[in-house]
Amino acid sequence: MSSLLLIGCAGATVLGVFVAALISLIPGLHIYNVIAITMLVYFAIMDAMSGMDPLLMTSFLLGMVVAFSMLFTVSSQYFQPTDESFRSLVLPHERFLLEGRAHEAVLLAGVGSLVALYAIVFLLPVMIDPIMTFSRLLQPHHYWIVMTVIAFVLMTEWPKDHGVGWTAAQRLQDGWVQLLMGYFSFIGAGILGIVVFNRTLVPLDASFQSLMPLFVGLFAIPTYIMTFLTETRVPSQHHCNSVEIQDLDIPRGSLSGLLAGIFAAMNPGLTPGPTLLMTGHITAQSGERQFLIGGGAGRLMYYVGALVLFFLPGVYLRRGGAAINISLFFVPETEAQFHVITMVIALSGALSFLMLDRFSLVCARLVALIPYKFFSAVGLVLLTYLVYRVTGPEGLTIMGAATILGVVPNVWHTRRINLLAVLLVPIALNMGGYGPAVAKIFALY
Amino acid sequence: MTVPADSESKNGNAQSPCPSCGREYPASEGRCRFCGSARHGRTPTRQLMLWTYPLLLAAAYHLIAAWVARPHYQAISSLSESDTFKRVRAQGRVSRVRTTLDAYRAGALIEFTVLDESDGGSGQMKPRGGGVKPVPLKVKAEGRIGTQLIEEDRVPVEGDVIGVVGTLYIGTGYRVLAMNSAAGCELLQASPNRISYDPWTVKALQGAKPLGKSVVIQRAVMVSRGRFDVTIRDPGDAQDSGGSGKPGPTLTVFGADPVGLGAGDVVSVRGELETYGKSGGFQIRTSYKDAANLVLLEKRSTAPFEQPTSVHRAVPRVSVANLLKSPKAFSGRLVKIVRARVVTCQSRFSILVTDADGPTVDDGDGSPETPPSGASERNPSGQSGPKPGRLDPERQLLVFGVDPTQYDPGDLLRLEGSFEHYPKGDSWQLKIPFSGGRRKGVTRNVRRILAAIPDRKTTTIAQLLEDPDRFAGVHVRIKNAVISQIHDERLLEVSDVPGKPTMKVFGASTRFLQVGQQVTVRGRFIQYASENTWEIKVRGGDYAAVLPLQDAGHPSGRGSGGRTGDKNKAVKR
């Protein structure tokens, strides 16, 4: 491979990292949304760049994915504080923010991400054969694994809290409403998923982004809405120069995260959220620090590890939106390209981690200077425009319907994990062979 | 490494900030009373940053590894059915290349056969141990991938050694590798037969005129199209952008198949630059048989979709009789006549043919072939001599675009061309497109199956006169002679050069000939019995027996008559 191209790839990687850092300042953006924007720009200027080696664009996107996977939670951490009145539980990173130690939470998650990067850069290349074998073994079992995850999600709604109220009826209602609304959001999201999976509601030329309005509506927009409604005051943040890490924090936390990431990457329809919940049980994960480390490792393993499966020689698993988008213009072919990809991941990962400290400091200062609702407003406008631009009015309609469903967990204090039924249910049904029969019930088939 | 306790913690009552949340609490307490963080056993951020060093080292390692890495190729003979659907990188020698357009004319379809170098890669199926023939690997580059290969001038040619990567499909008797990207084809060793096309623009060609060079215009806009020719200009001209400025220069590309293309389409063109016509113009000569020579890059015209005639639509095989029986059914179509007999060779780019099992060749002089002794009796009146080739519209077909000096009356030919109406004579003709024959005036669309005169000798008049007995009764050709005298409508004399001994030529029409004109002559060398002299007797129906040299060749321009000759022909016929 020419040295000029290699230098170009390294340059594109650095550029990707800085662009991702800039975009990461907007909370609530998903990496796949960012890739969608990038692809829009890329396709618009494709003719002008026809002579460009696709490896350069791949390096840029991969650099973005790695950096974004590490940095995007930082802005959410600072700019989207939680109002306890809207949530069933406050997650550790949200509590860290309210205690003025968001920076430590950022660093702990960064440590998890760093461990995941080590695994991707040093372990994955020598584990091609086991991965292939595992993938082949897993293939016929995907459907029941996904169904088991569904069962796990539904089961973990229990035990329900006891109801609080003056009368028996009030206590009965209070005791059951959270659980029932959790199931309601699960069923609603499942039906929405069945509809979207069986009908191409968005314009055909945007079908490769058909899930975008769904996810924006279910997760991003409700979070923005809650941020607008919340009156929480973000306390002054302490920029610590050390983190508390106990002996077992890294092994347990990162192991649960790595397993969750791999599990989600290799099984269609799964995301690190529910899998982290499961692997936390496997690794006896305990404590907030392990949770944060696990979260960081799981996210990076899922976003980057799933993408690396596409580049591993002999594996070529196309999992996740990033791989699908990159495969539109680049197909990995040579060993040299694999080395370039690994170089890109290692370089962008190292740069991102080195930036993490300063990036967190910038976010802490921004949240002290500018009302955090401003960032959510920017994100809301940007995402709404993006959905309209990519998927048209049809996409906006889907986004609206998904948003209604997405606010249910906030209003009735249920878990948002139930909303993942939008993916889990149709995929499990299709894999189990029941998809058409169920679609017929909804007159979709 | 851990951070030591805060210095103020020596004093039990002193307040010290929590290293995690920053709020102060008594230094003597191990954990923050607000956030619960430990004061001791913490890892400094700087130390965490050092953990990135292995990653940076790994990045450097992979950078170097990418720089030195070379692809690994699989031997074609080692591919088996278990490799089906796998991505395979194979290496071998290209034995055959076929470039067409895909079914929707959206891009090129390039197919080439690759064999292991140990199998010769010559396209020959060599039996190996056990008599098993090695199955070649057929590689397909379709659509955008094929077009990109053409645009980048990376289509392999016979004899190239290439590395190719793609998805493999293996079944009984076939091995197909579908390329997934144009980058998957790498030239490892170029064939000596590879034609290197120099990239040019129309404007640059007009200026430099690199005649005889193989040129490629990678992006051009079609201005107009004919049956076998297109006119192109550079994109980005004033006209192209809708401006009213002076349009750029145009260039004709002859020999291509422009079916389905229209004015405004963006195309890629390649071929050989040559002059044509007496006007001194020049054109790119190309072959329609290789679709890579004219590739549609961007559809801008509203020309309706048509299947490319030369490739995807089967060329119907017809007889002359059938063609003439229902000409409208074949009008404008490419047809193939598998056995046609030459009736007469006309004087300019045309011959008359009939079906092989049709009437025999008219001898013209009404007599049987001359006896082997070579003696002949000339009819002085000339009335029974060769008459001008009058067309029998029910049995004979005019074939235009053929060098008549290359064929003889009585030859059996296989012809492929466009069947068209010839409005001037209100008749039909088979128009032969030029398709890149290597020899002057020879087109691949006309194949001789059986030669009426297999033993013609090329000689000079001096040699004939020196040893006439040796050539007695032999069909001879004099490639270059000068007309020294014209006796009458059927008799003339020619010599090698002016002033040298002459030789009589009988039987050829002298109507359009002049003294001093350079001609090519062919006929039978015989002894004229009455006068006891030697002469060349032209066969009946051979109106191309004495032909001015500048008229010989193909209307595409290989001869100097060129396409101007085409227009002249219309008048002359």
Side-chain angles (χ1 to χ4, degrees):
Chain A
M1 194 170 281
S2 77
S3 48
L4 201 64
L5 179 61
L6 288 172
I7 293 167
C9 289
T13 306
V14 176
L15 186 68
V17 169
F18 281 101
V19 171
L22 207 63
I23 296 173
S24 297
L25 285 173
I26 302 165
L29 280 186
H30 194 278
I31 182 60
Y32 298 160
N33 304 145
V34 178
I35 287 178
I37 300 171
T38 314
M39 295 304 290
L40 274 179
V41 176
Y42 181 62
F43 287 138
I45 59 171
M46 197 178 226
D47 282 343
M49 302 172 82
S50 58
M52 193 181 80
D53 194 301
L55 198 56
L56 289 171
M57 186 63 185
T58 307
S59 302
F60 174 76
L61 281 179
L62 203 54
M64 263 179 53
V65 171
V66 174
F68 200 84
S69 305
M70 206 177 276
L71 300 176
F72 86 102
T73 53
V74 179
S75 59
S76 303
Q77 168 112 31
Y78 282 101
F79 304 146
Q80 291 186 324
T82 307
D83 190 332
E84 289 178 50
S85 59
F86 293 133
R87 300 291 290 272
S88 62
L89 68 151
V90 177
L91 293 172
H93 64 270
E94 295 163 341
R95 202 170 70 80
F96 271 56
L97 176 73
L98 298 177
E99 290 172 353
R101 51 187 187 133
H103 183 65
E104 188 169 357
V106 166
L107 289 176
L108 285 169
V111 167
S113 301
L114 200 63
V115 174
L117 275 171
Y118 272 51
I120 290 166
V121 172
F122 297 112
L123 286 182
L124 274 187
V126 295
M127 290 181 66
I128 292 174
D129 287 338
I131 289 171
M132 285 282 286
T133 310
F134 186 58
S135 171
R136 253 184 252 123
L137 284 174
L138 210 60
Q139 207 161 17
H141 304 285
H142 282 318
Y143 78 98
W144 70 257
I145 291 172
V146 178
M147 285 183 176
T148 309
V149 173
I150 290 174
F152 180 79
V153 169
L154 293 174
M155 273 170 56
T156 48
E157 279 293 331
W158 299 83
K160 63 183 181 60
D161 291 337
H162 58 82
V164 178
W166 293 106
T167 64
Q170 282 174 344
R171 285 194 292 276
L172 185 70
Q173 184 192 349
D174 190 53
W176 281 92
V177 73
Q178 184 183 348
L179 188 142
L180 291 177
M181 288 315 286
Y183 287 159
F184 168 78
S185 54
F186 183 92
I187 293 166
I191 293 171
L192 192 61
I194 290 168
V195 172
V196 171
F197 270 67
N198 287 283
R199 278 276 185 277
T200 308
L201 301 174
V202 297
L204 278 179
D205 56 354
S207 54
F208 70 106
Q209 288 285 355
S210 61
L211 293 180
M212 185 175 75
L214 212 55
F215 278 89
V216 169
L218 284 175
F219 299 103
I221 305 285
T223 308
Y224 290 138
I225 293 172
M226 291 307 129
T227 309
F228 294 141
L229 294 177
T230 187
E231 293 301 328
T232 305
R233 194 187 67 81
V234 177
S236 171
Q237 298 298 313
H238 176 65
H239 187 78
C240 63
N241 54 14
S242 64
V243 288
E244 183 186 356
I245 301 174
Q246 302 294 342
D247 294 341
L248 287 175
D249 285 347
I250 291 180
R252 276 188 179 167
S254 54
L255 188 61
S256 68
L258 292 180
L259 286 176
I262 292 170
F263 193 36
M266 300 207 65
N267 282 283
L270 297 185
T271 58
T275 53
L276 199 59
L277 201 63
M278 297 170 79
T279 55
H281 288 275
I282 298 169
T283 56
Q285 185 195 81
S286 63
E288 293 167 333
R289 289 187 302 277
Q290 289 181 20
F291 181 89
L292 289 168
I293 292 170
R299 270 191 303 274
L300 202 124
M301 196 65 191
Y302 172 66
Y303 293 127
V304 183
L307 187 53
V308 169
L309 293 178
F310 176 63
F311 296 104
L312 278 182
V315 180
Y316 302 115
L317 273 178
R318 219 172 50 146
R319 291 272 190 269
I324 290 169
N325 278 286
I326 288 175
S327 69
L328 293 177
F329 62 90
F330 177 73
V331 180
E333 284 159 345
T334 62
E335 187 190 333
Q337 286 174 344
F338 170 71
H339 284 301
V340 172
I341 297 301
T342 316
M343 179 273 289
V344 168
I345 293 169
L347 181 63
S348 53
L351 285 178
S352 308
F353 190 77
L354 289 171
M355 285 172 70
L356 199 60
D357 186 54
R358 292 287 148 191
F359 189 75
S360 175
L361 187 63
V362 169
C363 288
R365 288 188 178 162
L366 281 175
V367 79
L369 291 172
I370 305 167
Y372 58 78
K373 292 182 183 180
F374 167 78
F375 299 100
S376 287
V378 173
L380 180 65
V381 171
L382 191 69
L383 273 185
T384 309
Y385 172 73
L386 182 66
V387 169
Y388 174 73
R389 181 74 180 76
V390 176
T391 58
E394 298 93 333
L396 279 184
T397 311
I398 299 170
M399 189 185 84
T403 304
I404 293 168
L405 208 56
V407 295
V408 168
N410 298 95
V411 175
W412 279 280
H413 300 175
T414 65
R415 297 180 310 161
R416 296 208 306 177
I417 201 170
N418 289 310
L419 297 174
L420 280 177
V422 76
L423 271 186
L424 295 172
V425 170
I427 285 178
L429 288 173
N430 286 339
M431 284 186 157
Y434 309 111
V438 176
K440 268 184 188 172
I441 297 170
F442 295 100
L444 297 168
Y445 197 71
Chain B
M1 183 177 146
T2 55
V3 175
D6 193 282
S7 56
E8 287 184 40
S9 64
K10 289 169 189 169
N11 183 349
N13 296 322
Q15 297 284 310
S16 176
C18 170
S20 179
C21 68
R23 280 177 282 192
E24 294 202 336
Y25 68 96
S28 56
E29 294 179 12
R31 287 197 171 271
C32 174
R33 58 177 64 172
F34 303 103
C35 69
S37 293
R39 186 183 292 279
H40 306 285
R42 296 175 66 88
T43 309
T45 312
R46 279 187 183 177
Q47 189 184 342
L48 287 180
M49 295 304 153
L50 294 180
W51 293 3
T52 57
Y53 282 19
L55 284 178
L56 291 171
L57 286 173
Y61 164 78
H62 284 287
L63 193 72
I64 295 165
W67 191 49
V68 298
R70 293 285 175 268
H72 301 290
Y73 296 102
Q74 235 175 308
I76 293 169
S77 56
S78 72
L79 300 175
S80 65
E81 284 191 30
S82 62
D83 295 321
T84 295
F85 303 127
K86 281 185 184 172
R87 285 180 64 78
V88 167
R89 177 176 289 272
Q91 176 184 343
R93 191 177 290 277
V94 177
S95 68
R96 197 167 47 196
V97 182
R98 181 169 170 262
T99 305
T100 58
L101 293 185
D102 69 6
Y104 303 99
R105 283 190 89 94
L109 169 62
I110 303 170
E111 292 175 306
F112 47 96
T113 308
V114 185
L115 284 168
D116 275 334
E117 285 186 82
S118 56
D119 292 327
S122 59
Q124 302 293 318
M125 296 281 197
K126 288 187 179 178
R128 292 190 303 183
V132 180
K133 288 180 180 176
V135 182
L137 182 68
K138 184 189 259 190
V139 182
K140 285 188 175 186
E142 203 165 352
R144 177 68 201 149
I145 301 165
T147 307
Q148 196 179 339
L149 284 177
I150 292 167
E151 282 176 4
E152 296 169 3
D153 192 20
R154 289 172 47 218
V155 178
V157 299
E158 287 178 24
D160 278 350
V161 177
I162 60 161
V164 62
V165 64
T167 307
L168 186 70
Y169 304 92
I170 291 192
T172 309
Y174 70 89
R175 297 174 176 197
V176 177
L177 190 77
M179 283 177 60
N180 310 112
S181 82
C185 182
E186 188 183 1
L187 178 67
L188 303 175
Q189 185 189 325
S191 160
N193 300 327
R194 172 173 274 272
I195 300 173
S196 171
Y197 290 96
D198 298 326
W200 287 83
T201 61
V202 173
K203 195 173 180 181
L205 276 177
Q206 296 278 12
K209 297 190 176 78
L211 294 173
K213 294 271 183 191
S214 297
V215 297
V216 58
I217 297 174
Q218 282 164 340
R219 208 168 168 81
V221 177
M222 270 183 61
V223 178
S224 62
R225 55 164 278 192
R227 184 74 194 158
F228 290 106
D229 60 275
V230 296
T231 308
I232 57 168
R233 62 180 165 79
D234 286 328
D237 281 351
Q239 276 190 336
D240 198 33
S241 56
S244 55
K246 191 181 173 186
T250 60
L251 185 66
T252 301
V253 181
F254 189 79
D257 176 15
V259 175
L261 304 180
D265 285 345
V266 180
V267 293
S268 165
V269 168
R270 70 182 190 187
E272 191 180 315
L273 194 76
E274 62 175 21
T275 55
Y276 75 90
K278 291 172 182 170
S279 60
F282 61 95
Q283 64 184 7
I284 291 178
R285 180 184 52 78
T286 189
S287 164
Y288 79 97
K289 294 234 167 168
D290 186 356
N293 292 338
L294 175 64
V295 178
L296 175 69
L297 299 178
E298 196 180 321
K299 186 78 180 163
R300 288 184 185 170
S301 73
T302 53
F305 171 76
E306 298 169 73
Q307 285 285 359
T309 51
S310 59
V311 180
H312 287 282
R313 197 167 65 185
V315 180
R317 295 178 171 211
V318 290
S319 65
V320 174
N322 280 344
L323 274 177
L324 297 172
K325 199 173 168 184
S326 47
K328 287 183 180 170
F330 298 98
S331 177
R333 291 182 63 183
L334 205 63
V335 295
K336 191 182 280 182
I337 303 171
V338 286
R339 283 170 67 84
R341 187 185 298 277
V342 180
V343 180
T344 62
C345 292
Q346 306 292 85
S347 59
R348 273 181 174 271
F349 315 125
S350 56
I351 55 176
L352 284 184
V353 297
T354 186
D355 281 326
D357 51 358
T360 53
V361 180
D362 177 17
D363 257 356
D365 57 3
S367 61
E369 286 290 316
T370 43
S373 64
S376 169
E377 192 65 36
R378 188 193 307 156
N379 183 350
S381 71
Q383 286 181 351
S384 58
K387 295 168 187 171
R390 193 168 291 171
L391 179 73
D392 177 357
E394 290 180 359
R395 291 186 301 176
Q396 295 174 352
L397 179 67
L398 188 124
V399 181
F400 177 70
V402 181
D403 178 4
T405 63
Q406 300 293 328
Y407 306 99
D408 288 292
D411 279 358
L412 273 187
L413 305 178
R414 188 173 66 188
L415 303 160
E416 188 177 331
S418 171
F419 186 64
E420 295 174 0
H421 185 240
Y422 177 50
K424 196 88 178 172
D426 194 23
S427 59
W428 295 86
Q429 66 175 8
L430 188 73
K431 197 171 177 183
I432 305 294
F434 188 74
S435 65
R438 287 178 187 168
R439 285 192 298 132
K440 185 179 179 182
V442 176
T443 160
R444 288 176 192 158
N445 293 304
V446 181
R447 297 278 175 93
R448 191 181 353 240
I449 304 168
L450 190 66
I453 303 169
D455 54 351
R456 171 170 283 138
K457 286 196 167 63
T458 301
T459 181
T460 61
I461 292 166
Q463 284 176 340
L464 287 174
L465 292 174
E466 193 180 327
D467 189 5
D469 291 335
R470 182 182 147 209
F471 292 99
V474 174
H475 289 278
V476 295
R477 178 201 303 274
I478 297 161
K479 289 179 83 173
N480 198 340
V482 179
I483 298 174
S484 54
Q485 195 177 350
I486 298 176
H487 292 280
D488 56 36
E489 283 189 356
R490 297 279 173 250
L491 184 64
L492 72 155
E493 283 187 43
V494 294
S495 61
D496 285 334
V497 287
K500 291 284 178 184
T502 60
M503 170 74 62
K504 284 181 179 172
V505 178
F506 174 70
S509 171
T510 58
R511 194 174 164 195
F512 297 105
L513 301 176
Q514 294 170 359
V515 173
Q517 205 168 15
Q518 278 198 318
V519 290
T520 172
V521 178
R522 70 182 183 189
R524 198 168 194 185
F525 186 62
I526 57 169
Q527 192 176 27
Y528 180 40
S530 308
E531 299 177 10
N532 197 23
T533 55
W534 292 91
E535 67 178 21
I536 295 172
K537 189 183 180 189
V538 171
R539 296 182 76 220
D542 189 358
Y543 300 105
V546 180
L547 207 61
L549 277 179
Q550 60 266 37
D551 280 346
H554 191 273
S556 71
R558 291 309 297 252
S560 58
R563 305 184 71 228
T564 316
D566 192 353
K567 290 169 190 167
N568 294 342
K569 172 71 188 164
V571 178
K572 208 167 175 185
R573 274 189 289 178

